[in-house]
């Protein structure tokens, strides 16, 4: 199970302590769903976005 806590900064950084606590909490839970662990596991971008669309990680609008 993945779990990462990021700061709210314009250019986010990993909150190492928060991430550690989140991962400990996640390990204690049981999950039935399949967790994708490889690139391009999801299909939303391919199904929804066109060649003219741009995915913006940190939009400033």
């Amino acid at each position: 199970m993945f779990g990462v806590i990021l700061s709210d900064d314009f250019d986010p950084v990993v909150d190492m302590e928060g991430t550690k606590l989140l991962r400990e909490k996640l390990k204690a839970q049981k999950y039935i769903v399949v967790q994708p662990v490889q690139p391009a596991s999801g299909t939303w971008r391919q199904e929804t976005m066109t060649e003219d669309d741009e995915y913006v990680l940190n939009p400033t609008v």
Side-chain angles (χ1 to χ4, degrees), residues 16-33:
M16 298 302 286
E17 186 61 28
T19 295
K20 179 182 174 185
L21 294 173
L22 175 61
R23 289 182 178 179
E24 289 173 4
K25 180 180 174 183
L26 291 174
K27 282 181 187 179
Q29 298 178 19
K30 299 272 184 190
Y31 292 92
I32 299 173
V33 297

Side-chain angles (χ1 to χ4, degrees), residues 1-4 6-8 10 12-13 17-18 22 24-25 27 29 33 35 38 44-45 51 55 60:
M1 175 52 63
F2 302 109
V4 178
L6 298 174
S7 68
D8 291 328
F10 176 74
V13 295
E17 186 61 28
L22 175 61
E24 289 173 4
K25 180 180 174 183
K27 282 181 187 179
Q29 298 178 19
V33 297
Q35 300 293 328
Q38 63 189 22
W44 177 87
R45 185 173 181 185
E51 289 182 17
Y55 183 83
T60 57

Side-chain angles (χ1 to χ4, degrees), residues 38-50:
Q38 63 189 22
S41 294
T43 60
W44 177 87
R45 185 173 181 185
Q46 181 180 14
E47 294 171 355
T48 307
M49 297 182 75
T50 68

